[in-house]
Amino acid sequence: MVSSEGEYPLIRQYRDWIQNGPSEKDPDRADFFTDGIVVLDTNVLLSLYEYTPTAREQVLKALQSVRQRLWLPHQVGLEFVQNRFRIITGRKKALDDAQRSLQNKLRDAKTSIKDARAFTQGLLIKYAQDTETSRNLDVEISNKAIEELLSGWSATLEAQVKRLREYDISISPGGQGDPVLSQVAALFGDKVAVPPDAAETRRRVEEASSYRFPNLIPPGFKDAGKGTSLASSGDFLLWEETIGYMANSPERSHLLFVSNDTKEDWYQPKGEGRSASRPWPSLASELRQRTGAELRIETPGDFYRGVNRFLDAEIAEATYAEIDRAAVSTVEMVVTEQSATCTQPPPDLIAAAFDAAGLDESLVDNIDDGSSRLIFIWWLIGVTAQLERRPRLDDEPDVSLAPATRSAVKPDPDWVPGLRLHLGEWPYRSSSWIAPWFAESVNRSSRRERKILQGLAAQQLAFELADQG
């Protein structure tokens, strides 16, 4: 006779779905920190470049407390070394451009005050015929007075921006002088996975693109159709590597995975009685079924607070703030299809993209679905920057949106064959798949607009294929 509810086979087998998401109060949480294998996602390692030197030193020292149980999957190592230079150069460019951007903003502030003065003068003359007060405003709020008022603030802001240059990370074209790379390498030591066999990688990519992604099986299905099948399978390749490692480490019964990535192919959205999202229960079930190990997924902020709690690492509150801020900036740095549907682009960015493409903004009025409309606008912003049709604006995010892909397998159930696009305007009609939002926008456009849109998409696809080759 079953003596307790937890021993019923039904409840035991599906406990991951029945239980709530992970909590800092979970009684077994300490086991993951004191005895588990710890895997850091690529975004966690790249965040090290975003910290101040003091915070970075504290974080790396905290990671020393789990050093003996850290393991670096090949996929994470590969993505880290491939993307670190982009992070470094992006940071350097932002600091290099900061002085110019500040000057532009200060100039805009002066112009805005002058415009406000002129606006008020116009009202006084139009509605009160009060030319005397209007003239007095030229004296009271003269151009000289505006300059004097803002000069002190300008000097303070300029001094602070110049001071930020000390936080730049300068490396040579060959990569020498990168303090983060050398520290990460020392941290992992020989706990670095060798590249998987090429045939096994191909098998995993085919499994992802033909079975898991079309059926929305986590992780990684939100990346389907983004570039080549190999490029879009990164999360799944990481997952398979980790499962293989845990299966060959029977002495370890806990896996702690740390990542900034909380999109829908890692986290189940809130709903059905849940007030917050949670890691997909199927991930824990799959790991247990294939390796016998338990899984816990945590964001960097929660992880480092756990290290502080269970392993007595010393991390200052200011460093936690940096960790959380870097996690948010990493997420916001790249606009994906998921984030595009709930993020309104700035008007100046929209105008710049449409001008660069030679299109009128009224084009989007033909797209009925609001989500598709936002995705289309973000794509146009991204592709005009990627193809260098226009200069990037200050603080402009990267955009990862693919309107088309070349693949033998449909990347998503909603994608349509390239034959849906117009003959003579789309060069990949018989060998491509088209995102539904792009197909809608193209087929509702004029002939001139269609040619522009399909030309941009074709150039983007050719550019990405050449870059991957």
Side-chain angles (χ1 to χ4, degrees), residues 180-410:
V180 175
L181 177 62
S182 58
Q183 289 174 303
V184 168
L187 178 68
F188 283 97
D190 62 356
K191 299 292 185 64
V192 179
V194 298
D197 178 76
E200 179 62 18
T201 298
R202 179 173 181 174
R203 185 197 66 77
R204 291 171 179 173
V205 170
E206 290 175 350
E207 179 182 353
S209 59
S210 65
Y211 172 66
R212 293 187 67 117
F213 290 177
N215 289 290
L216 306 184
I217 301 174
F221 60 78
K222 294 297 290 186
D223 295 328
K226 297 176 181 177
T228 66
S229 297
L230 177 61
S232 64
S233 299
D235 283 356
F236 179 63
L237 293 176
L238 161 61
W239 178 244
E240 283 294 296
E241 259 196 276
T242 304
I243 284 181
Y245 181 79
M246 293 301 294
N248 291 310
S249 305
E251 74 281 2
R252 297 294 186 185
S253 58
H254 294 79
L255 169 65
L256 180 55
F257 180 65
V258 187
S259 178
N260 288 337
D261 193 346
T262 57
K263 64 180 186 292
E264 288 182 18
D265 52 1
W266 282 101
Y267 277 67
Q268 182 184 22
K270 65 181 180 180
E272 299 177 356
R274 296 184 308 280
S275 59
S277 62
R278 64 177 180 179
W280 276 104
S282 57
L283 293 170
S285 297
E286 182 177 4
L287 183 73
R288 186 184 305 111
Q289 180 183 7
R290 296 175 63 181
T291 72
E294 299 297 321
L295 172 67
R296 186 177 182 89
I297 299 178
E298 295 205 355
T299 60
D302 291 337
F303 167 69
Y304 289 119
R305 288 177 176 87
V307 170
N308 195 6
R309 174 182 174 186
F310 298 115
L311 302 173
D312 297 324
E314 296 183 4
I315 299 179
E317 283 301 319
T319 297
Y320 286 127
E322 284 198 46
I323 291 168
D324 293 337
R325 185 166 54 249
V328 171
S329 66
T330 301
V331 173
E332 293 179 345
M333 182 174 60
V334 180
V335 177
T336 63
E337 186 166 325
Q338 179 188 10
S339 61
T341 60
C342 55
T343 307
Q344 182 65 43
D348 57 340
L349 202 51
I350 297 175
F354 275 87
D355 286 345
L359 296 168
D360 191 276
E361 291 184 36
S362 62
L363 167 65
V364 298
D365 296 337
N366 298 325
I367 306 175
D368 294 331
D369 180 68
S371 295
S372 296
R373 190 181 306 121
L374 281 172
I375 295 171
F376 170 80
I377 293 173
W378 274 116
W379 167 74
L380 193 64
I381 290 170
V383 74
T384 51
Q386 180 184 10
L387 300 179
E388 298 183 349
R389 297 295 186 91
R390 61 177 180 82
R392 291 175 65 91
L393 303 186
D394 294 334
D395 301 323
E396 178 178 337
D398 290 333
V399 179
S400 178
L401 287 169
T405 186
R406 299 187 72 182
S407 170
V409 180
K410 180 186 290 191

Side-chain angles (χ1 to χ4, degrees), residues 26-90:
D26 291 340
D28 64 341
R29 186 184 180 209
D31 296 336
F32 289 90
F33 285 86
T34 59
D35 189 50
I37 296 291
V38 179
V39 173
L40 308 178
D41 200 359
T42 309
N43 48 56
V44 179
L45 297 180
L46 290 175
S47 290
L48 292 169
Y49 290 100
E50 302 292 341
Y51 303 150
T52 60
T54 299
R56 186 184 306 125
E57 181 180 354
Q58 288 186 15
V59 166
L60 287 167
K61 187 175 294 185
L63 288 173
Q64 288 290 334
S65 63
V66 294
R67 182 184 180 190
Q68 296 305 314
R69 288 175 286 107
L70 280 174
W71 177 69
L72 184 72
H74 164 71
Q75 186 67 27
V76 171
L78 180 65
E79 292 175 356
F80 172 67
V81 298
Q82 286 180 334
N83 289 294
R84 68 184 183 88
F85 192 72
R86 176 177 60 84
I87 300 296
I88 293 170
T89 53

Side-chain angles (χ1 to χ4, degrees), residues 100 102-112:
R100 175 183 56 80
L102 176 61
Q103 291 295 333
N104 290 340
K105 294 180 185 301
L106 291 171
R107 184 172 60 251
D108 290 344
K110 295 174 185 177
T111 301
S112 294

